[in-house]
Amino acid sequence: MSLAVPGPWARPDLPGTLRRHWPLLPLAATVLLLLAPLPAGDATASGKVGPADAASLLLVLVCAAQALRGRVRTLTPLGVLVLGTPAVGLAVATVTAGDPYAALPGFVRYLQVFVLVPAAVVLLVRDAREFRLAAGCFVVLALVQGALGVVQYATHTGASYQGEDVRAVGTFGPGDVMGMATVVAYGLVVATAAALAPGLSRRTRRIAGACALVLVLPLVLSFSRGAWIATFAAALLVMALAGIRRALAVLTALAAAGVVLVGGLGVGSEMVAERLTSITQVSSAPDQSVTDRYTMWAAAESMWRERPAVGVGLKGFPAHRDGHASLGLSSGSDTAGAGQGYIRQPLLSPHNMYLLVLSEQGLIGLTALVGGWAALLVAGLRRLGADAGRAARDCGLIATGLLVWQLTDFLYADIGGPSTVLTGVIVGLAAWWALPSPSPATADASSGR
């Protein structure tokens, strides 16, 4: 396969592509079905099984069927260890929970996101071209959700923020204000990596660069501090890995876009400035959301100290929160706008994935999950630096950038909402890159079967 293959942004031979890559259809559906809007006025819909979750189940079933036919990649022992160990930690946390029955839905959710979906992605994505097709779906999702978010800001039909319905939330609604910011950030990272990749055609890199610039605006209008920080960290790493000269060009373009949008055109300038300032206001006049966040972090740590090895059990944080949180914790967060009336949403997680795992699964679960993520990051970076990784360097930049974004965002957020299923896809793409293996299906793929 030529290194100049344009990838998902070129005009494909659609019938031929479908014949060759039909097992990827559930993977594409898992990403693109997040375009389906949530029911208006249902703030709890983000916690229910949605179309994307159903597509992820189909993805796992297709993977199992293909595995029985011997048409999937072969996992190395290291791959089995990294992808399978989290299941052990989840089982321990479920069995040792005070109410194992109540913990069972959490076990299923974690198993879906961190074991089954990643394994299915690793096994089904057979080559760099299929990786690019999957990555292109993230960009499509981000562009559509981002466009809707910009319209929401411009027409004052978004989620409520500082008394105005201007927060860009896309189809996710005010009950999941991080949803649009997350998927837009994913697309921006993918587009930035593709724009910097030396193996792609110049036309593809230009289109990807244009997509990255366009996605800056909806990300800014999401007013999501955590997404901003994670995107900055991931983009900076991708640029450094791609080379200083390329990095400076893209960084200059992105900075110029930000200055023009916020400074020149005044797009949300006062709100953005206030949001940026609040990042540093931890001890001096923090807003209530920051106070709640740090209060819940302390509560999670207290739960862990009570049961350091296995935690309080999956889905146990809400039940134990009040017994460990201080009086500074508010009763919930206010949500309104984007077709929904005023609703007070309860605070049911610490908004820090590492502390959530530590409090509910203890050191056993934290080691199993975070240890696997660290292994994927180290192995992915090593492959990027090796000669073996240069044949599909764009895939490495995308996989590493997405994983770093997710690991950084986990400092300020945890799983929850419809976009959670994409976490499993990202872990799978990162594992595909970090844990290469021979693909017995290559011959089938080349023959069009």
Side-chain angles (χ1 to χ4, degrees):
M1 181 178 59
S2 171
L3 294 182
V5 171
W9 296 277
R11 289 186 208 169
D13 172 19
L14 189 57
T17 298
L18 290 177
R19 285 195 302 270
R20 290 189 299 271
H21 308 295
W22 72 264
L24 291 186
L25 290 178
L27 175 55
T30 299
V31 178
L32 297 179
L33 282 178
L34 286 172
L35 293 172
L38 293 174
D42 187 357
T44 65
S46 61
K48 298 178 181 178
V49 175
D53 292 306
S56 73
L57 174 60
L58 180 59
L59 173 67
V60 173
L61 294 177
V62 168
C63 178
Q66 290 293 91
L68 291 175
R69 301 173 66 188
R71 295 188 175 182
V72 296
R73 298 170 77 233
T74 302
L75 276 181
T76 63
L78 178 60
V80 174
L81 180 65
V82 171
L83 294 175
T85 300
V88 177
L90 295 174
V92 171
T94 303
V95 172
T96 59
D99 185 354
Y101 181 78
L104 193 57
F107 173 79
V108 173
R109 184 61 159 167
Y110 274 86
L111 195 69
Q112 170 205 11
V113 175
F114 296 115
V115 179
L116 297 179
V117 171
V121 172
V122 172
L123 293 172
L124 285 178
V125 176
R126 296 171 294 184
D127 53 34
R129 181 174 179 79
E130 292 192 342
F131 184 103
R132 292 170 185 139
L133 289 172
C137 292
F138 281 89
V139 179
V140 173
L141 172 65
L143 289 172
V144 177
Q145 288 284 3
L148 179 56
V150 172
V151 171
Q152 289 172 333
Y153 174 84
T155 59
H156 285 228
T157 56
S160 178
Y161 181 74
Q162 293 186 352
E164 299 182 62
D165 292 345
V166 295
R167 188 168 190 174
V169 292
T171 63
F172 295 94
D176 184 16
V177 294
M178 281 291 295
M180 191 215 73
T182 297
V183 301
V184 167
Y186 289 157
L188 198 156
V189 171
V190 171
T192 301
L196 294 169
L200 299 178
S201 69
R202 179 174 296 181
R203 177 175 176 271
T204 298
R205 294 199 304 269
R206 287 177 176 174
I207 294 175
C211 290
L213 291 176
V214 167
L215 290 173
V216 170
L217 178 57
L219 182 63
V220 169
L221 297 180
S222 71
F223 302 115
S224 173
R225 295 168 293 196
W228 293 347
I229 294 171
T231 303
F232 178 79
L236 202 61
L237 177 64
V238 168
M239 292 175 190
L241 292 172
I244 298 300
R245 291 182 62 183
R246 292 177 180 272
L248 288 177
V250 174
L251 185 61
T252 301
L254 292 175
V259 171
V260 171
L261 292 172
V262 179
L265 301 181
V267 178
S269 55
E270 293 184 5
M271 294 180 178
V272 171
E274 182 275 335
R275 203 65 169 162
L276 287 171
T277 302
S278 68
I279 294 176
T280 61
Q281 292 178 334
V282 176
S283 58
S284 59
D287 60 34
Q288 185 59 49
S289 65
V290 174
T291 299
D292 288 339
R293 187 181 303 270
Y294 281 89
T295 301
M296 290 189 293
W297 287 8
E301 182 185 3
S302 177
M303 294 178 201
W304 167 68
R305 292 185 181 280
E306 185 177 277
R307 300 188 68 187
V310 296
V312 298
L314 293 172
K315 294 290 185 179
F317 183 89
H320 292 80
R321 183 198 63 185
D322 293 341
H324 294 268
S326 69
L327 296 178
L329 183 66
S330 67
S331 60
S333 58
D334 300 331
T335 62
Q340 174 188 291
Y342 173 82
I343 294 178
R344 187 79 167 168
Q345 281 193 287
L347 303 174
L348 303 178
S349 71
H351 296 293
N352 180 303
M353 188 63 190
Y354 305 106
L355 289 177
L356 177 62
V357 173
L358 189 64
S359 63
E360 293 189 341
Q361 302 179 45
L363 288 174
I364 294 176
L366 185 72
T367 302
L369 272 175
V370 180
W373 301 338
L376 293 180
L377 180 59
V378 172
L381 289 171
R382 288 185 61 183
R383 190 182 176 201
L384 266 174
D387 291 338
R390 300 189 183 278
R393 192 170 181 82
D394 59 304
C395 300
L397 292 175
I398 291 171
T400 304
L402 287 174
L403 182 60
V404 168
W405 190 96
Q406 195 64 70
L407 297 183
T408 305
D409 185 68
F410 275 164
L411 293 169
Y412 307 93
D414 46 51
I415 61 173
S419 62
T420 294
V421 70
L422 294 186
T423 303
V425 176
I426 286 172
V427 174
L429 294 177
W432 180 93
W433 169 256
L435 307 170
S437 63
S439 175
T442 302
D444 290 342
S446 63
S447 65
R449 287 190 288 168

